[in-house]
Amino acid sequence: MVTAEIAAGFPALVLVLFMAIWAITIAVGHLRCSDAAREAARAAARGEDLAVVREVAAESAPSGADVVIDEVDGTIEVRVSTRMAMPGPLGDTLPAPTVSGHSVALAEAG
């Protein structure tokens, strides 16, 4: 009798485990996007070339992330975003949420 109950509840347990892993993946992706934007904004504020700034962001960001750099009146804003698919065999069937991070820095005079 207990075996039948475990067999009936096992798919729900697996689903909850996949959802927990997905939630952790999304949180880590958000943190990586925020860190990448912060590092890129610092590099841009120091006066680095845009190619170097994009490379700095790409090193810290999740793979396939989009990097947008805007400079307005001495203020540099960097936005990094990417889509986080669910890990495992269901990853392509479910909608992938977009995570992003942005940072603003003042350009150093010089």
Side-chain angles (χ1 to χ4, degrees):
M1 184 158 114
V2 173
T3 304
E5 291 170 354
I6 291 174
F10 187 70
L13 180 64
V14 170
L15 180 63
V16 168
L17 179 65
F18 270 120
M19 295 303 283
I21 291 171
W22 193 17
I24 292 170
T25 302
I26 290 170
V28 168
H30 178 70
L31 289 174
R32 288 185 64 195
C33 285
S34 296
D35 288 344
R38 177 178 42 89
E39 292 297 324
R42 281 185 184 170
R46 287 191 307 260
E48 298 287 346
D49 192 31
L50 284 182
V52 174
V53 173
R54 288 190 189 282
E55 184 178 317
V56 167
E59 288 176 4
S60 300
S63 61
D66 296 324
V67 178
V68 177
I69 303 167
D70 293 326
E71 185 174 357
V72 178
D73 298 328
T75 302
I76 299 164
E77 182 177 357
V78 179
R79 290 183 304 272
V80 179
S81 62
T82 189
R83 297 181 63 83
M84 300 299 294
M86 181 177 192
L90 299 175
D92 295 335
T93 60
L94 296 174
T98 300
V99 295
S100 64
H102 76 282
S103 186
V104 178
L106 294 173
E108 293 182 5

